[in-house]
Amino acid sequence: MSTEKILIIGAGGQIGIELTAKLSEMYGSSNVVASDLKNTKAFPNNPFETLDALDGKALFDIVRKHGITHVYHLAAMLSATGEQHPMFAWKLNMESLFNVLDLAKEKHISKIYWPSSIAVFGPTTPMQNTPQYTVMEPSTIYGISKQAGERWCEWYFKKFNVDVRSLRYPGLIGWKSAPGGGTTDYAVHIFHEALKSGKYECFLSENTALPMMHMEDAIRATIEIMHAPAENIKIRGSYNLAGISFSPKDITAEIKKHIPDFSISYKPDFRQGIADSWPKSINDSEAKKDWGWHEHYDLPKLVENMLVNLKEKVGV
Ligand code: NAD
Ligand code: AKB
């Protein structure tokens, strides 16, 4: 019998769908409560709760009702959408985090996972092999909210011993779900269009390198950091994760090995400015040292996996 009762907030999103499935495999579906603003067909076997993460009272009631011990708080507004709705992005990303941190401060839950992002870095950050500790002057509201969130997580840990763990994900690429409102979303859309129409118009320029990661690696990293002994988690802000760094030109060359006629054109929009402010590659030696992180996917493996699964399992 599992003693962990998990609540996933934002379970219907790109990460939530895959994390809910993986945690359900590990703990049993009845021990993993999925929640989001609206129900989807994604969780036929899990308890589901309709929840606005800004409603602290409703969140508390759900935690009490299900005897929740661990919360994975994924609801947020991402970089591109956040620039369109800055005040709401700030409200959602910050206030929902406080609601969850306060549950742990009051000892209603014992462990929290909350993701940060490479968006915490900005144009004055060293762009190559960006270290864990460096200049951080994010220029998006999303990045500012994630940076502030990291500091709050560390503060709650130091002041109230709240066991909160966090990763600075790179752009995540998976075949099971669509991304929502990010700057790195092109690296998922490109596969769908390569299979559907053989061509793709990219909203970033051809040499814009960014750190990315296969969703399987990201889910595994999430589960590994949550299961690491507490004394190994030396960083209570958020850990760098490197993943794979590539540009639209690099991923196109790799896709062309499978679909030789695939073509790409470039029409950069406002997301180019966001991408230009982010690191090109990340140093994740602290995650490797503290809790043994190691990624499995390189670019050729990622591209092959995406194309095969989208074709065979999703029918794109
Ligand atoms: P997503 O946009 O795909 O999913 C977010 C989910 O949260 C959606 O299902 C949405 O309905 C839900 N949601 C929004 N507002 C809510 C509210 N008020 N109450 C409850 N649910 C609400 O996002 P994602 O890509 O799955 O990202 C999840 C987390 O990971 C976010 O914190 C994001 O910042 C972080 N992250 C994602 C990436 C990435 O590449 N996907 C990279 C770095 C960090
Ligand atoms: C985004 O592009 O906003 C996200 C992220 C890297 O945080 N994918």
Side-chain angles (χ1 to χ4, degrees), residues 9-16 35-38 51-54 73-78 88 92 114-118 142 146 168-172 178-180 184 215:
I9 303 176
Q14 192 194 3
I15 301 173
S35 75
D36 207 300
L37 286 174
K38 280 195 275 191
L51 171 69
D52 180 348
L54 288 171
H73 174 31
L74 306 177
M77 191 176 280
L78 277 70
F88 187 69
L92 172 61
W114 171 80
S116 185
S117 161
I118 53 163
Y142 174 65
K146 289 293 184 186
R168 290 174 181 156
Y169 291 134
L172 302 183
T184 58
M215 186 64 84

Side-chain angles (χ1 to χ4, degrees), residues 284-302:
D284 62 2
S285 52
E286 301 291 328
K288 291 188 161 107
K289 174 165 62 77
D290 289 356
W291 44 277
W293 168 243
H294 201 320
E295 72 275 359
H296 288 170
Y297 277 85
D298 58 13
L299 183 58
K301 198 170 159 195
L302 179 147

Side-chain angles (χ1 to χ4, degrees), residues 9 42 49 65 90 98 120 134 138-139 177 181 219 222 276 299:
I9 303 176
E49 295 283 355
K65 174 177 163 191
W90 177 254
F98 292 138
V120 292
T134 185
S139 53
S177 55
I219 298 294
T222 307
D276 287 341
L299 183 58

Side-chain angles (χ1 to χ4, degrees), residues 118-127 135-140 276-279:
I118 53 163
V120 292
F121 299 114
T124 51
T125 299
M127 294 272 164
V135 179
M136 293 166 80
E137 295 184 315
S139 53
T140 60
D276 287 341
S277 76
W278 287 354

